[in-house]
Amino acid sequence: MRKFVILLLSIFIFSFLSQTLPAFARQESFLISSTVDYEFGKIIQFEAELSSTQKVDQIQLVIRSDQSAIENIFSLEISPDNLLTFIYDPEIHGNIRAFSFVDYYYIATFEDGSTSQSPLQNFLYADNRFEWKRSTLNENFTVYWFTDNESFANKALAIADKSIDHLNQFISFPQLEESISIISYSNPADLQSALMLSGQTWVAGHADPQSSLVFLSIEQNQQLEEEMGRQLPHEIAHINLYRSTGSSYSSLPIWFNEAIASLAEMTPNPNYQNLLLSAYDNDQLISMSNLCEIFPANSSSIALAYAQSDSFLRYLHREYGKAGLNRLLQAYKEGDSCAFGTVTAFSISLENLEEQWRKSIFQDVKNETNSSEVLPFLYIFGFISVSIFAIILSTLFKYRNSKRE
């Protein structure tokens, strides 16, 4: 069933991203026709025409996005010529994320008090602000982008394929059985507006594991492949983790979920080390137990949360290997709490593991820092010593020569 849904989603994306959104029309028992048209982020216009054979006293429109379990119900006015029109305004009625499926149907109440519901209809709320291109070079990934860079899809597909093997060095995931759609924006601002993430300026990528969708924001500059090597494997890893854990995915510790994704990155974040050092020096490291359920909301603290999670899981991999991370994944998959999962996998508490991680990571860092601080003085001392030694040798040499003469 899930394969069918993902296949249907892929077909819808291709249809909607490659041409102007057509009106949806379907013959209903009390409707002659119904259509939907929209401009992404502005309005969605629903129109329908009632059949004149039945006298409808009241009619309602029910709308639900696949991103929400809540149904929005709107009472409509019937025009003298049996036409229905409703304008859905995201700013008033609620934002809908780009590339969501939107279900809708009508409920009619007749003069005799009886009611009838029209068959369920849906449409893909694609981001039609842009003219999308599509490329499928293998069965695992489909790429959508809208820039003039024709090699973009080839680069994305190459990195996506490599990321699977890269992550499997650290932890075992099954081979992909269902295609993943990769939708790439050209800057974070467009991505954030598409995902309705107002104010979350640090978000550069996003994964929707249930729909097998990856959202990226890759700017067309010299760092394109480097940034793609971070964002794309990171988001694919979230989908692989979801497919491996199923219903347990939502209860995984946040630090573990994000650390797995960070391990997948082909080009690790170069800022993480400095963030950790600064936090350590200023006694601002976050307790790992405080990263079990949620990450901090502000941009500086969330960056540190990612850096800590990444460093902590890499430490666990060094200490316990791939088999150890597999045990930890299995423990969390089977429902262990954030704190107890490490006990099951490693026979040690999360608190004690964190203490060991801090000693291991930051003692090494302090030694390196101390060495780097002392090294210039050693160079100077060495230079002076060699100079003095050379002067002494030169003096002795001159003295011997003078004695011979």
Side-chain angles (χ1 to χ4, degrees):
M1 178 63 182
R2 204 173 86 186
K3 288 185 178 181
F4 173 75
V5 172
I6 293 173
L7 176 62
L8 181 63
L9 176 63
S10 181
I11 293 172
F12 264 114
I13 290 177
F14 175 61
S15 171
F16 281 91
L17 299 187
S18 61
Q19 59 187 2
T20 303
L21 181 73
F24 290 81
R26 184 172 180 173
Q27 193 74 17
E28 312 294 357
S29 57
F30 57 86
L31 296 177
I32 295 176
S33 65
S34 69
T35 62
V36 177
D37 199 3
Y38 69 86
E39 184 176 357
F40 180 80
K42 295 186 177 179
I43 64 167
I44 306 174
Q45 183 165 314
F46 295 83
E47 292 185 345
E49 182 178 358
L50 293 172
S51 169
S52 59
T53 59
Q54 303 181 67
K55 182 62 176 177
V56 176
D57 188 44
Q58 296 178 3
I59 194 156
Q60 294 174 310
L61 172 62
V62 182
I63 303 171
R64 180 185 64 241
S65 163
D66 66 357
Q67 300 299 307
S68 173
I70 299 174
E71 290 188 334
N72 295 296
I73 303 174
F74 305 97
S75 296
L76 309 184
E77 292 185 3
I78 304 172
S79 72
D81 46 3
N82 280 338
L83 297 179
L84 304 171
T85 300
F86 178 72
I87 303 297
Y88 185 98
D89 186 339
E91 292 187 1
I92 298 173
H93 304 116
N95 289 318
I96 300 175
R97 196 208 68 191
F99 303 99
S100 299
F101 275 110
V102 179
D103 297 332
Y104 70 100
Y105 58 91
Y106 294 88
I107 300 175
T109 301
F110 302 102
E111 283 188 321
D112 62 1
S114 63
T115 61
S116 178
Q117 178 180 308
S118 69
L120 182 69
Q121 297 177 260
N122 60 49
F123 65 95
L124 183 69
Y125 188 52
D127 189 345
N128 58 11
R129 295 176 297 176
F130 309 101
E131 295 184 8
W132 296 87
K133 301 173 184 178
R134 175 182 184 266
S135 178
T136 302
L137 296 182
N138 62 45
E139 61 183 7
N140 291 329
F141 302 101
T142 301
V143 181
Y144 300 93
W145 81 107
F146 57 79
T147 65
D148 294 330
N149 188 346
E150 295 300 329
S151 65
F152 182 90
N154 291 339
K155 293 176 181 177
L157 290 168
I159 289 174
D161 278 334
K162 290 179 182 177
S163 71
I164 305 299
D165 293 333
H166 178 71
L167 182 57
N168 274 321
Q169 297 177 58
F170 300 97
I171 193 166
S172 299
F173 284 120
Q175 292 296 313
L176 291 178
E177 296 182 356
E178 299 164 358
S179 177
I180 294 174
S181 293
I182 301 165
I183 301 171
S184 183
Y185 288 83
S186 62
N187 60 73
D190 286 338
L191 169 73
Q192 291 156 18
S193 65
L195 300 180
M196 307 303 168
L197 298 176
S198 177
Q200 300 183 37
T201 56
W202 60 85
V203 177
H206 176 74
D208 180 350
Q210 289 183 309
S211 301
S212 293
L213 290 177
V214 164
F215 295 89
L216 308 176
S217 59
I218 307 294
E219 299 190 44
Q220 302 297 309
N221 54 34
Q222 293 181 343
Q223 286 75 45
L224 182 148
E225 290 190 52
E226 181 180 335
E227 188 61 28
M228 189 184 290
R230 274 196 291 270
Q231 289 188 29
L232 184 51
H234 185 107
E235 304 307 336
I236 290 174
H238 283 308
I239 293 179
N240 274 333
L241 192 55
Y242 169 78
R243 291 179 177 179
S244 296
T245 57
S247 59
S248 299
Y249 180 80
S250 60
S251 60
L252 291 175
I254 298 299
W255 71 261
F256 180 76
N257 193 331
E258 292 299 341
I260 290 291
S262 292
L263 284 181
E265 295 175 8
M266 308 290 289
T267 50
N269 193 313
N271 299 320
Y272 281 175
Q273 184 73 354
N274 289 336
L275 283 169
L276 289 171
L277 288 177
S278 176
Y280 176 76
D281 288 340
N282 294 287
D283 196 25
Q284 292 177 341
L285 289 172
I286 307 168
S287 169
M288 295 305 299
S289 62
N290 290 335
L291 299 177
C292 288
E293 297 182 2
I294 193 170
F295 271 9
N298 62 79
S299 57
S300 59
S301 295
I302 198 172
L304 175 60
Y306 275 101
Q308 276 194 221
S309 300
D310 174 81
S311 178
F312 185 61
L313 196 64
R314 289 181 189 275
Y315 166 76
L316 295 182
H317 179 259
R318 287 195 299 273
E319 292 295 313
Y320 300 101
K322 181 176 179 178
L325 294 194
N326 285 334
R327 292 197 304 272
L328 185 59
L329 173 61
Q330 188 63 30
Y332 286 139
K333 180 180 178 179
E334 292 179 358
D336 277 6
S337 67
C338 179
F340 196 72
T342 60
V343 177
T344 300
F346 311 124
S347 300
I348 184 171
S349 70
L350 179 64
E351 182 180 0
N352 288 340
L353 268 179
E354 180 180 355
E355 183 180 351
Q356 292 180 6
W357 163 71
R358 292 193 182 204
K359 287 180 180 178
S360 172
I361 298 300
F362 297 106
Q363 188 59 48
D364 290 344
V365 169
K366 284 180 71 176
N367 291 339
E368 290 175 6
T369 302
N370 291 336
S371 297
S372 65
E373 290 175 351
V374 171
L375 201 57
F377 296 101
L378 291 177
Y379 283 138
I380 294 171
F381 177 77
F383 177 76
I384 293 173
S385 299
V386 170
S387 299
I388 293 172
F389 185 67
I391 292 171
I392 293 172
L393 285 178
S394 177
T395 303
L396 287 174
F397 182 75
K398 289 179 179 179
Y399 176 74
R400 283 187 176 182
N401 286 340
S402 64
K403 291 282 285 183
R404 290 174 182 175
E405 293 174 359

